[in-house]
Amino acid sequence: MTDPGRYSAISTINHWVTALLVVVMLVLGFAAGAAPSEAIAEYVMAVHISLGFFVLIFVAWRVMFRLYEGFPANVGPTAMERWAAYLVHRAILILLALQVVSGPMYLFTENECMDVFGWFSVCVPLESLSIIHEPMEWIHLNIGIYVLPALLMLHFLGAIRHYAVDKRQETPSDL
Ligand code: HEM
Ligand code: HEM
């Protein structure tokens, strides 16, 4: 049985697969934003959307699994750091869920499909909800460009401190 103070093996796989996918999605998003021509921006965005289909499925599974399994107690030398880890971990998952919903909703509300590498397309005609098209774009861009990168930086600094400081104190929770 899983020790309630530790992350399970499935959690560890989920953590690192998501970390890889989300970093690639951020890089593709930023690369599209900084593309030297409209054609290149469109091509990079098409890859962002195609991979996004799989990221959507994986994030949904990962969030559901975390809700099912619960979060192990956070570790850290001070109550403030444990509280910060508690908030940042939940915020990252909530923002990822918003991100994988707002991306497709942005497309569907202007009657565009999610084309997945030319293999197949996912179309949900939601033009009737065109009033939320711009709010979806606003949410997606602000989370993707500012909020998520800032939280991931905090998370990364926290992880370094965790490996450097907590490890010496033999604390159980880890990934
Ligand atoms: C080099 C990069 C990373 C390192 C070293 C790292 C390390 C860690 C560690 C050690 C924990 C457990 C914290 C604890 O014991 O309380 C953790 C949890 C977590 N990390 Fe990361 N992480 C990295 C990147 C990421 C990325 C890119 C994401 C999001 C896309 C992410 C999302 C999470 C979440 C949501 C948790 C909470 C537990 C869970 O649901 O998996 N991490 N990370
Ligand atoms: C964790 C997952 C995701 C992250 C981190 C992410 C990140 C980003 C970022 C940073 C941008 C900004 C591009 C710019 O600089 O202008 C962007 C744009 C965009 N993303 Fe995502 N994205 C994610 C998931 C998705 C998914 C699943 C879709 C599915 C369709 C999607 C569709 C789009 C679209 C259509 C835009 C362009 C919006 C516009 O033209 O204003 N994204 N994304």
Side-chain angles (χ1 to χ4, degrees), residues 18 21-34 45 48-57 59 95-108 110 112-115 133 136-138 140-146 148-149 152:
T18 318
L21 288 174
V22 170
V23 169
V24 173
M25 289 301 279
L26 282 174
V27 171
L28 289 169
F30 281 110
M45 202 31 80
H48 180 86
I49 292 170
S50 300
L51 186 65
F53 172 78
F54 299 101
V55 176
L56 163 63
I57 293 173
V59 166
L95 291 174
L96 285 182
L98 276 172
Q99 202 64 349
V100 298
V101 169
S102 59
M105 285 301 279
Y106 168 77
L107 294 174
F108 298 153
E110 64 175 359
E112 273 190 51
C113 298
M114 269 176 91
D115 181 59
H133 177 68
M136 285 298 138
E137 180 180 33
W138 187 89
H140 196 80
L141 292 184
N142 281 288
I143 292 179
I145 297 173
Y146 306 110
L148 193 58
L152 290 179

Side-chain angles (χ1 to χ4, degrees), residues 42-109:
E42 266 178 35
Y43 174 73
V44 176
M45 202 31 80
V47 180
H48 180 86
I49 292 170
S50 300
L51 186 65
F53 172 78
F54 299 101
V55 176
L56 163 63
I57 293 173
F58 202 81
V59 166
W61 143 254
R62 185 207 197 300
V63 170
M64 283 191 295
F65 185 76
R66 176 58 60 236
L67 289 174
Y68 163 76
E69 201 186 48
F71 284 83
N74 290 114
V75 292
T78 65
M80 227 268 285
E81 280 165 85
R82 290 192 292 275
W83 183 231
Y86 178 98
L87 286 182
V88 171
H89 292 163
R90 282 155 184 80
I92 291 174
L93 289 181
I94 292 169
L95 291 174
L96 285 182
L98 276 172
Q99 202 64 349
V100 298
V101 169
S102 59
M105 285 301 279
Y106 168 77
L107 294 174
F108 298 153
T109 50

